[in-house]
Structure formats: C-alpha cells, structure tokens
C-alpha cells in the first residue's frame, strides 16, 4: 500500500513552496518523501522531482503547436495525462507502491478540482493501485481579510471535497507573511452564527436568505476549519503533516497521533 497527498488550491496559494518545505522537513527527520510534478507549466523546483508530467507533455509545446491559450492548453495537457494513466503514470509509479509516500504538486486552475473529471479520475487510478490519498487544499492566509472572502474560499474548498471524495485537510498557507494575525484569528475555527452575522453586515438585506443557506451548507459539511501553516516553524509543519498522516492512516503501527504535536510549542520552532 502506498500513501499520497494531492496538493491543490488556487494559483499563488503556495503549493510548490509547501511541497519544498515538506520535503526539507522530512529529509531533516529521516523520512522518505517523493514529489511528483503534475503542472505542465512549471519551470523550476526547489525540491527533487521523482516524476514530472513535462516528460509526457509540455504546456509551451501545446500552446505553440495547437494555438491554444494558457488555460485551454493546460486542460489539453491534463486530458492527455488522463489518457495515459495506464501507461506513463503506472510505469512511473511502479517503484513507489510499497509503503511509499508521494506528494502530487498540482496546477492551480480551480476547475481541475472543482467541476471537471480529470483529477477525480486520477484519484481513482491511485486508489486502484492501493494508494491511500488525502486532498490537501491550500488557501492564502492573506486572502482572509473579511468574511466574504473567507466564505468564497470555503465554497471553493467544499467544491473540491465533493468532486474528489477524499479525506480533506484545509491549510491556511503563508502565515509567516501575515503581519497582524489577529485579523484572521476569527476565521480559523469560527462559529457559523458569527460568520452569518458578519456576512449580513456586509451584504444587502435581500441576500439574507442566501447567506443563511451558505452558512448551513458550510456547517453541515464541517467545512469551517483551516489549519494555519507557518513555514518558519518546524512545529507547525509537523502538526500539519501529522493531521494529514492520520487522515490516510500513515504510521498507525508507529502510533502517530495529532495530539503529540503542539503547533504552539516554541521549543520546536526553528
């Protein structure tokens, strides 16, 4: 059995930086981690790439040969990947099927994980190869400046959760860049009634019923929960990784538990 993270989120949310920091953390702690690049538009990496979609297809070549734009070209590339799951991907993963841990660094086009089937079919393929998979959804913490943006982020994450049907960990990335953390504390684990009240203050009265329905949807799916990630702190990376490991049952024999890792432990900060 293998274990995998599917790292998704909007463009610019810090997915590749997360992958790089995760690889460095695991390397420093004697843990093996393999990273696969699924972005055909990627140009450089701060981590060693175990498998690269650009060996199969490259976005620049597709745009030049087919006359497509960036988004159309990327969708073409991902459809080509889908057509080659049983060939290129299966062959590339042959050496990583026995208790290996793989992180897939995905493109940032939101439609890939919200309403088109390519990533869902990719996940189904991994499951058929006996991988336990967790979706890791990153959202830029600097995006969380008010309740309307928070709800927008929740809806995008919920769309990915429903589409992929995977264990799901939401991460508030780039916490190391937030100058005033009090601005986003209300959004880390807020009460739905608080969000509804704030939403009603910022929107016209005719949207009250819509706001209430949105809050009920978010609450029903237990979506109002983001794990903050500060890449300056080893304890923060360790805490996030422990949550993901638990969701895919990695290290159960070693009795890995989330409670063993305290994200606020200053003794473990780097």
């Amino acid at each position: 059995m293998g274990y995998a993270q599917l790292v998704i989120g909007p463009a610019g949310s810090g997915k590749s930086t997360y992958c790089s920091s995760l690889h460095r953390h695991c390397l420093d702690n004697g843990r093996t981690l393999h990273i696969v690049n699924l972005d055909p538009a990627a140009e450089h990496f701060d981590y060693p790439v175990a498998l690269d979609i650009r060996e199969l297809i490259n976005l620049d070549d597709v745009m030049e040969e087919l006359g497509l734009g960036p988004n159309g070209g990327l969708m073409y590339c991902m459809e080509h990947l889908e057509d080659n799951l049983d060939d290129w991907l299966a062959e590339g993963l042959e050496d990583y099927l026995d208790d290996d841990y793989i992180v897939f660094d995905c493109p940032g086009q939101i439609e890939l994980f919200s309403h088109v089937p390519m990533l869902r079919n990719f996940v189904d393929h991994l499951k058929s190869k006996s991988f336990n998979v967790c979706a890791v959804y990153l959202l830029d913490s600097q995006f969380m400046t008010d309740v309307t943006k928070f709800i927008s982020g929740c809806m995008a994450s919920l769309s990915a959760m429903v589409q992929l049907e995977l264990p799901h960990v939401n991460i508030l990335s780039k916490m190391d860049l937030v100058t005033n953390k009090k601005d986003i504390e209300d959004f880390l684990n807020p009460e739905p009634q608080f969000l509804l009240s704030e939403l009603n203050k910022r929107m016209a009265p005719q949207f009250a019923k819509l706001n209430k329905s949105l809050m009920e949807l978010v609450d029903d799916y237990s979506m109002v929960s983001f794990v903050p990630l500060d890449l300056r702190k080893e304890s923060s990376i360790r805490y996030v990784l422990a949550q993901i490991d638990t969701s895919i049952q990695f290290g159960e024999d070693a009795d890995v538990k989330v409670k063993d890792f305290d994200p606020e432990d200053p003794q473990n900060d780097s």
Side-chain angles (χ1 to χ4, degrees), residues 246-267:
T246 300
S247 72
I248 55 176
Q249 300 176 312
F250 177 80
E252 278 196 339
D253 293 339
D255 199 29
V256 173
K257 292 182 172 59
V258 174
K259 67 180 182 181
D260 292 335
F261 305 100
D262 181 3
E264 299 299 331
D265 183 3
Q267 294 181 350

Side-chain angles (χ1 to χ4, degrees), residues 10 13 137-141 143-144 150 153-154 171-173 226:
S13 58
Y137 187 95
L138 272 70
L139 190 65
D140 188 343
S141 58
F143 182 78
M144 299 293 200
F150 175 76
C154 281
I171 294 177
L172 214 50
S173 63
F226 283 84

Side-chain angles (χ1 to χ4, degrees), residues 181-200:
K181 291 183 172 55
K182 290 184 179 180
D183 292 341
I184 61 173
E185 283 181 356
D186 290 335
F187 302 120
L188 291 180
N189 194 22
E191 292 292 331
Q193 286 302 318
F194 165 78
L195 292 178
L196 178 59
S197 174
E198 291 298 307
L199 202 55
N200 286 334

